[in-house]
Amino acid sequence: MPELPEVETVVRSIRPHLCGRVITGAWHDWPRVFGNDDPNIVTARLENRQIRGVDRRGKYILISLDQGVLSIHLRMTGRLYVAEKEAVHDADRWVHFRLELDDGRALRFSDSRKFGRVRLGDQVATAIPELGWEPFDPRFTAAVLAEALHNRQRPIKVMLLDQTIIAGIGNIYADESLHMAGIHPATPALQLGGAQIEGLYTAIQAVLAQAITHEGASINWYRKPDGSRGAAQDSLHVYGREGQPCHTCGWPIARTTIAQRGTHYCPRCQVPPTQ
Ligand SMILES: [Zn+2]
């Protein structure tokens, strides 16, 4: 599933093509893309709206309109790209939602598994669920992270995946952040000391920033809006590297399951929690 760096890459790529454009029509062939909302009402409300901005919150893409906000969640297999009317793209066969624009182009939402969702709200708060901290928000500090983890029994990996605590981290970057910080993913949050939490805070920011620089990880479905692959998968230290040597100590990377998610770590660099 695309995480913060992948969604950020999509947002940066489509933003210049969308800002200032007027939506001339909205097309769909899959009502569930709107969740429980009435497709006819949503598409009618999108018509003639001007796009004012394209941003990201957690793993959500936010398209601000002169009236309302459209959120798009890519989920498993969603791809988003702007294309000329007649242009043919590899992912077109899975397009189930499209915004037509006044310059003749269209924003196409391709999604083979059809788990992706589009939601129109009056404002951001009604377009997306309530989310936790943005990792790059200057108000999100190591002290804030320590407060969020205080007295929590759940494994730190589970806490990092909880979008109501920190928004945007998924399975890849949770594993990578914990490895960089030298913390075993099963460690109950309350066992972490101040120095460990500071290290984790620094690791989260470093891991996400580097993945944005590499324009996301194309491990499964994710592609950049121009159809090409991101490069972040080439710099991963643990995720997807089971049995391969740790880049730090040479020990084979291990894989376990935490909260039903495949979890990768180095058994030497990330010491298991005390019972
Ligand atoms: Zn190691």
Side-chain angles (χ1 to χ4, degrees), residues 52-275:
R52 293 283 169 82
V54 182
D55 298 289
R56 181 194 55 74
R57 177 80 174 93
K59 302 176 193 170
Y60 289 84
I61 294 154
L62 297 176
I63 301 179
S64 302
L65 308 170
D66 53 354
Q67 285 174 38
V69 178
L70 185 71
S71 77
I72 300 177
H73 198 298
L74 303 172
R75 295 281 180 91
M76 303 275 291
T77 58
R79 291 182 191 168
L80 211 51
Y81 48 98
V82 178
E84 303 286 344
K85 203 177 194 112
E86 307 299 334
V88 177
H89 288 250
D90 289 346
D92 285 346
R93 67 190 122 152
W94 302 297
V95 171
H96 300 293
F97 174 73
R98 191 170 65 219
L99 288 180
E100 267 133 33
L101 307 170
D102 61 345
D103 63 356
R105 295 194 286 179
L107 177 69
R108 299 178 190 171
F109 185 19
S110 166
D111 186 12
S112 78
R113 297 285 297 274
K114 299 190 191 176
F115 292 130
R117 290 291 178 266
V118 166
R119 186 174 173 85
L120 181 63
D122 295 328
Q123 52 193 335
V124 173
T126 51
I128 58 172
E130 207 164 307
L131 297 173
W133 287 99
E134 270 303 316
F136 295 114
D137 184 330
R139 295 167 299 171
F140 177 63
T141 61
V144 168
L145 179 61
E147 180 63 34
L149 302 179
H150 183 69
N151 263 344
R152 304 294 293 266
Q153 275 284 1
R154 290 191 294 164
I156 185 60
K157 164 97 186 244
V158 176
M159 301 290 287
L160 292 183
L161 294 178
D162 185 338
Q163 301 298 298
T164 67
I165 298 172
I166 307 172
I169 300 176
N171 213 29
I172 299 173
Y173 302 108
D175 284 1
E176 292 296 316
S177 299
L178 289 167
H179 178 70
M180 183 181 276
I183 296 169
H184 191 286
T187 311
L190 52 67
Q191 279 189 22
L192 296 176
Q196 282 180 302
I197 292 175
E198 272 189 37
L200 177 59
Y201 171 82
T202 306
I204 289 169
Q205 300 219 326
V207 161
L208 293 176
Q210 191 196 28
I212 292 171
T213 303
H214 290 145
E215 301 183 293
S218 289
I219 291 167
N220 296 316
W221 270 86
Y222 164 75
R223 295 291 181 277
K224 295 189 279 176
D226 69 2
S228 65
R229 299 163 69 92
Q233 67 279 2
D234 302 331
S235 307
L236 300 178
H237 293 293
V238 284
Y239 185 85
R241 296 193 64 248
E242 183 187 5
Q244 297 175 48
C246 171
H247 292 147
T248 305
C249 74
W251 201 260
I253 298 300
R255 185 181 187 279
T256 183
T257 303
I258 294 178
Q260 288 130 46
R261 307 297 299 275
T263 296
H264 310 77
Y265 67 101
C266 172
R268 261 198 186 167
C269 297
Q270 297 166 260
V271 180
T274 48
Q275 294 301 312

